[in-house]
Structures are given as structure tokens and as C-alpha cells.
């Protein structure tokens, strides 16, 4: 059996390393100071896809990422690790999309890849932790969904058995194919890049990237077509522009507030023995501890 | 205006989960403000004393589907029943717990109904909105308030034009409160047999291993919590030593969890547990808004930090400027010396 696996991967600012320079003086985020990374759980998702391909040689992994031009990095990174091809969904009309509009665009792109057997995404993206795009894409494609997958235990012709990690433990479930799966961070981490694949794909580019580098893409693409990363726009997806961007997003940000910390009258102490001893006595005498 | 609905989760003991009771309590207050009814949805199997348990929270209607195929939770049959109910009842607001179940099903429902959903709200309020672009005035919207990515920012999200307005909220964020032990509502049954089709059961549960979580920091009276500044998993042991002498529990920040110093179950904050202990000792924690969202209602806060300007210091009652690794052993020593 050969399977076609669509992996959804997002490029995100690395919110895990929000340092002091990540905030501007006015309290807004300085995105430029945050490195853009492969969303961590999407790497877990890619690994699950690679494992299916290991077991069923000839299976095909297609990575979809929606974002600005630079998100093509996600596709190259996936090619280096064993994905077969990828598409960058990019268009200014997508700007301002919430999860509903995002999953609408992604679901149209997935449909273009029919017939597929698996749509595998991360559980959640660390920039918002919403965990909504996976289930919403599943709904739009009328697929059953298996969230928080930790391991794909078994695949028979047209069914799959999956171990999922839920709050209170684990569940083993079985679904028919095609299915949408969201992968939990406790799943095995992604294998490293393969030197051979890095060599093969390091010049893979989108048209926009080649234009920026003022390279002649017709020549490159015709000699080595596998280096072409296609961009899909609203027109390519045949999408209804009303359902994208701000107009397609039911959630609106009403306001963003900097939290002004109400300064409490706090007792300032040092690490000196007498200060620490004073504090412990104070807490004991006020019955906070003891 | 239409009513507020709360999707109630059924626990392993086949009663209604705490997070759902907390949401009913919040839902009651919002319903009072809007002058509407509070309706609970329970999809389960032979739940005992359902009415007796729920009405006291001020529930006006319970929509109950009793069918053995509805427990344990499966996405598709629960979605089918909820989507059908929401199409008929057109709720104004629907609240879900931000749990493995709520975060699985709420986005699917939002997609089917094409409505907005905000994850992990830390506060819900009612308020108006004036849209400049269209010069349109909206009355009594649900303000879905949550910390937003990056530092000290709180975002208020609204869904002006679509209904229902949906949000998920973590356990412990809202307070569970009985409004009236004699409150009476009515029970309406959902025709699960009639609505569920074979294709709703294409995902089957083969096996389950459910363990009761050993960690219960939510109800701890004292919490010793460690951040990235603690430095290592090894150093975290010191926090356990202090916790042991104080009879406390240990918590952590997301940075500490991501670094592998502590397990996820102990993460406190917007995407972890919300706690309200009588004493919170923050060790090497900067006090990002996502962390504060889960602990700023602690009665007393001690911050131990090398940086005098760490945001956490501004909400602390006592701040010790210094290295956690020096100070914790001293706290243990002087606690032992001074307590009998
Ligand atoms: C969508 C989203 C959700 C999030 N949810 C959560 C959440 O639920 N909970 C959460 O905690 N975070 C959450 N975060 C992350 C949050 O923004 C912060 O990154 C995190 O809380 C920082 O943890 P920290 O204070 O341990 O680390 P840091 O910010 O790195 O702070 C370390 C502190 O330790 C001090 N320090 C260093 N060395 C020492 C020493 N030897 N002795 C004493 N002090 C020392 C430093 O001065 C500093 O103040 C979330 C982020 C996002 C984007
Ligand atoms: N812009 C995007 N492009 C590709 N995949 C995405 C995108 N946004 C979300 N996803 C996928 O959906 C998952 C959940 O995202 P979120 O709902 O933003 O937490 C991610 O882990 C990705 O697998």
C-alpha cells in the first residue's frame, strides 16, 4: 500500500525565547527580534508522516504551509528531512485571518491534493496556542479527527490505530481513512536533516524568492523541477475572498492593552541571613505558614 | 436575545466535571447581566442525580442525551448532537472547558457553524462595541479576554456578527458557586437515537488507560513555584525540599517546563493550571502575563529574583533580591529554627 500524507506546518515566532529585547518600549512585540521557527509540534507531525513512509515505501509526503514568503523555509526544512514536496499558501488577502479563515484556505489546498489518506498537523502553534486549525480543517474536509496523537500504532489497508495522549491518560482509537490527525508534543521528535537531502534541496525556491535573488527560474525549474516550490494564491485555490482575511474572520480584536501592574506595597529584602530569618518569623507569626 | 449554553463534560465517575460547574457559575452571572437563561448540555450515559446537581448553579434548562455510545467522549457523535442543537436553539454564547475534550470539539463546532471561538480565556465580560469602519453599534457582546502572545499584553476579542460567541476556559479560572440550592429548571431530552448515524462511529475506542492525576496543585494552600531562573532539574529538588518542610506543593512556569526542569502537569498560567493559594513563592520567575494569569489571585506572594525589576516583584508582597540557590536553603534553615 502507498499512502498520500498531507502535513500542515506553520512558521511561528519563537515565543519560548521571548527575551527583554523582544518587547518594544511601547509594550508591543518586536517580531523582528524573535527568530522564526518551525512550530515545534509540527515537527512531531512531520515525523509521524515520515514513519508512515518508512513503513510503506513509495508513500508521498506533501507539506502545506500558509504564511508570508519567508515561510518557504518550512518547506525546505521538511524536504531536508524527507518530505517529497510542498506548497506555500501565500497571498496578501490572507492577512488577518483567524483560525476559521485559515482552516478554510488550508482545506481548499488539501482538496487540491486528493486523493489523500492522512492530513497530519501539530496539536497547536506556539504563537497562540489555540489548537483550532487542525479540528477546523478536519471539519471543512468532512474528515474524522483524532487529536493529541502520540503514536500511530498500526495501519491496515484503510484503517489506522492511534495512541492519543489525553489529560487523564491514554486512549487507543481506530479510524477509517482518510483521517485528520493532530500530533501532541509528547510524540517522538523529528529526525535530523539528511545531508544527502540538504544537498539535493538547498536550492529549492519559490518564484518570489528567485525573483528577489534575481535568478532565472525558468532555467532552474526546467532542469531540476523538484527545486520548484509552488506558491498557491487565493486564485489558485478558487477561494471566496469574503471568507478570507479580516472579512472571513468572525473573531476581531477589540483592543490590546498593556497591563499596567498595580504596584503593590511590597517589602523589599536582601539575601542576608537576617532578612531571610525575619521573613520566616513574619510568616510564622502571621500564620501564613506553620 | 438568546440564551447562554454550557457544554458540560462528564467525568470518569460519571458526574459533571468541575470545569463545567465553574463555567455554569460564570454563565449564570453573564445570563443575569444579559437577562437571558442559562442552559446546560449533557451528553452521556446514565448520569446520576443530574438535575439535583446542576439546578443549584442556576441552570434553567438541561439538554440531556442519555445513550451508552456517548461515553467515553467521541468527537463525531458529540459534534452531531451539538450542531443539531445549536442550529435549533441559536445560542447567544456557548462556553466549553479548555480541556482535552473541549479543545477537541469546540473548534469543530465553530467551523461547522462558521462562528468565532477564543481559546483559553482568562476573563469573560459583557460590553458594547462601536465599529468605526461601518459606523455600527453593537450592544452586549461577549468580551473574550486573554493574554496575547508576547509579554504584557491582554487582548479583548469579540465576535460582532456571528453567533454563537464561543470561548474555552481552563479549569480553575472561574469560581464554582452554587447560587441557590432550591433553584429549579427543566430537563429536555435530546433524541440521540434518532440523530446519530453509523458514520458518527467510524472512530472507535479500542482501549483506555485513565489514571487519576497525582498532582493536585489546583487546591494547594501553599505553592513553591520555580521558573527558568532555577536553572536545572537538579536545582528544582531544592524547591521540593522547601515544599516539604512547609507542607506545600511545587509548581512551575512554562519556560521551566519547556526546559525540562519540571513536568507539564505542574505548569501554572494561562495554558496551565490556575491557582489561588494563601502563599505563592515564586523562585526565579520573571512574571510574564501568561504566568501571572494563573497565580495573581494568590493571597500572599513572595518573589525571589536576582533582577530587582522583574515584573513579578511588582505584584509580590515580599521580594527577596538574590539568587534562589542561596536563598532557599536559608528559608529551610530559618523556618526549621523558628517553628516549633
Ligand atoms: C500562548 C502562550 C501561552 C503561555 N502560557 C504560559 C503559561 O501557562 N504559564 C507560564 O508560566 N508561561 C506561559 N507562557 C510563557 C510566558 O510568556 C513566559 O515565557 C514564561 O512564563 C517565562 O517563564 P520564566 O519566568 O520561568 O522565565 P524567564 O522569563 O526566563 O525568567 C527567569 C527569571 O529568573 C530570574 N533569575 C535568573 N537566574 C536566577 C537566579 N539564580 N536566582 C533568582 N532569579 C533568577 C531572572 O531575573 C528572570 O526574572 C505562554 C506563552 C505563550 C505565547
Ligand atoms: N498558517 C498555517 N500553515 C500551515 N499549518 C498551520 C497554519 N496554522 C495552523 N496550522 C496547523 O494547525 C495546527 C494548530 O494551529 P493553531 O490552531 O494555530 O494552534 C498547527 O500545529 C499546524 O499544524
Amino acid at each position: 500500500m502507498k499512502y498520500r500524507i498531507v502535513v500542515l506546518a506553520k512558521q511561528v515566532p519563537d515565543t519560548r525565547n521571548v527575551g527583554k529585547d523582544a518587547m518594544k518600549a511601547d509594550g508591543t512585540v518586536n517580531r523582528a527580534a524573535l527568530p522564526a521557527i518551525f512550530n515545534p509540534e509540527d515537527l512531531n507531525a512531520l515525523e509521524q508522516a515520515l514513519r508512515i513512509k518508512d513503513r510503506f515505501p513509495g508513500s508521498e509526503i506533501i507539506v502545506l504551509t500558509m504564511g508570508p514568503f519567508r515561510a518557504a523555509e518550512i518547506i525546505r526544512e521538511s524536504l531536508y528531512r524527507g518530505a517529497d514536496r510542498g506548497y506555500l499558501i501565500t497571498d496578501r488577502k490572507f492577512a488577518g485571518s483567524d483560525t476559521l479563515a485559515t482552516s478554510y484556505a488550508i482545506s481548499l489546498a488539501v482538496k487540491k491534493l486528493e486523493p489523500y489518506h492522512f492530513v497530519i498537523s501539530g496539536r497547536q502553534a506556539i504563537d497562540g496556542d489555540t489548537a483550532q486549525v487542525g479540528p477546523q480543517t478536519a471539519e471543512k474536509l468532512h474528515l474524522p479527527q483524532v487529536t493529541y496523537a502520540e503514536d500511530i500504532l498500526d495501519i491496515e489497508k484503510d484503517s489506522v490505530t492511534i495512541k492519543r495522549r489525553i489529560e487523564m491518560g491514554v486512549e487507543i482509537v481506530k479510524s477509517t481513512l482518510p483521517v485528520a490527525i493532530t500530533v501532541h508534543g509528547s510524540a517522538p521528535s523529528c529526525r535530523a536533516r539528511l545531508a544527502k537531502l540538504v544537498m539535493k534541496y538547498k536550492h529549492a525556491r519559490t518564484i518570489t524568492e528567485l525573483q528577489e535573488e534575481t535568478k532565472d527560474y525558468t532555467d532552474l525549474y526546467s532542469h531540476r523541477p523538484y527545486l520548484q516550490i509552488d506558491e498557491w494564491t487565493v486564485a489558485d485555490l478558487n477561494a471566496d475572498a469574503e471568507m478570507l482575511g479580516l472579512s472571513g474572520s468572525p473573531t476581531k480584536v477589540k483592543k490590546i492593552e498593556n497591563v499596567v501592574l498595580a504596584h503593590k506595597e511590597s517589602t523589599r529584602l536582601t539575601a542576608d541571613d537576617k532578612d531571610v530569618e525575619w521573613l520566616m518569623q513574619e510568616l510564622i507569626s502571621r500564620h501564613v505558614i506553620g | 436575545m438568546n440564551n447562554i449554553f454550557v457544554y458540560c463534560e462528564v467525568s470518569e465517575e460519571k458526574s459533571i466535571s468541575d470545569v463545567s460547574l465553574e463555567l455554569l457559575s460564570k454563565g449564570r452571572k453573564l445570563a443575569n447581566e444579559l437577562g437571558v437563561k442559562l442552559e446546560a448540555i449533557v451528553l452521556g450515559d446514565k448520569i446520576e442525580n443530574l438535575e439535583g446537581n446542576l439546578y443549584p448553579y442556576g441552570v434553567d434548562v438541561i439538554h440531556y442525551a442519555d445513550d451508552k455510545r456517548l461515553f467515553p467522549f467521541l468527537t463525531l457523535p458529540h459534534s452531531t448532537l451539538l450542531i443539531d442543537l445549536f442550529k435549533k436553539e441559536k445560542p447567544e454564547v456557548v462556553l466549553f472547558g479548555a480541556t482535552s475534550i473541549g479543545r477537541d470539539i469546540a473548534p469543530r463546532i465553530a467551523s461547522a457553524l462558521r462562528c468565532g471561538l477564543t481559546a483559553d480565556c482568562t476573563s469573560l465580560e459583557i460590553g458594547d462595541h462601536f465599529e468605526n469602519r461601518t459606523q455600527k453599534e453593537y450592544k452586549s457582546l461577549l468580551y473574550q479576554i486573554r493574554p496575547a502572545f508576547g509579554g504584557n499584553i491582554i487582548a479583548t476579542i469579540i465576535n460582532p456578527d456571528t453567533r454563537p460567541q464561543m470561548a474555552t476556559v481552563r479549569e480553575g479560572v472561574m469560581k464554582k458557586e452554587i447560587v441557590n440550592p432550591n433553584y429549579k429548571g427543566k430537563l429536555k431530552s435530546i433524541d440521540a437515537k434518532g440523530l446519530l448515524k453509523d458514520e458518527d462511529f467510524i472512530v472507535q475506542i479500542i482501549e483506555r488507560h485513565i489514571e487519576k492525576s497525582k498532582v493536585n496543585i489546583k487546591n494547594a494552600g501553599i505553592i513553591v513555584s520555580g521558573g527558568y531562573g532555577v536553572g536545572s532539574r537538579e536545582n528544582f529538588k531544592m524547591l521540593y525540599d522547601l515544599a516539604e518542610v512547609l507542607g506545600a506543593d511545587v509548581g512551575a512556569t512554562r519556560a521551566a517546563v519547556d526546559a525540562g526542569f519540571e513536568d507539564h502537569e505542574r505548569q501554572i498560567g494561562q495554558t496551565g493550571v490556575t491557582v489561588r493559594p494563601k502563599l505563592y513563592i515564586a523562585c526565579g520567575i520573571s512574571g510574564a502575563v501568561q504566568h501571572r494569569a494563573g497565580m495573581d489571585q494568590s493571597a500572599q506572594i513572595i518573589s525571589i529574583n536576582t533582577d530587582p525589576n522583574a515584573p513579578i516583584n511588582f505584584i509580590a508582597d515580599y521580594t527577596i533580591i538574590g539568587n534562589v540557590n542561596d536563598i532557599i536553603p536559608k528559608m529551610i534553615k530559618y523556618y526549621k529554627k523558628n517553628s516549633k
Side-chain angles (χ1 to χ4, degrees), chain A residues 8-10 39 42 64 66 121-125 130-133:
Chain A
L8 308 181
K10 185 181 190 185
N39 180 50
D42 300 355
L64 287 181
M66 173 167 153
S121 64
R123 174 186 52 145
Q124 63 192 33
T130 66
Q132 285 169 199
V133 171

Side-chain angles (χ1 to χ4, degrees), chain A residues 15-18 20 125-130, chain B residues 120 146-151 170 226-231 235 252-256 258 267-273 283-292 294 304-308 310-312 320 322-325 327:
Chain A
T15 53
R16 295 170 308 174
N17 293 315
V18 182
K20 298 219 165 49
I126 58 170
D127 54 352
D129 273 5
T130 66
Chain B
D120 290 333
R146 72 177 306 224
F149 147 64
R170 297 220 164 224
Y228 193 70
V230 171
N235 290 353
T253 65
R254 168 137 140 199
D258 283 348
Q267 182 178 312
I268 292 169
Q270 182 200 351
T271 52
V273 188
C283 310
I285 293 177
S286 62
V289 67
Q290 293 93 350
H291 185 73
R292 295 199 312 266
I304 304 173
N305 202 304
T306 42
D307 175 7
I312 188 92
I320 311 182
N323 189 326
V324 268
N325 301 307
I327 293 163

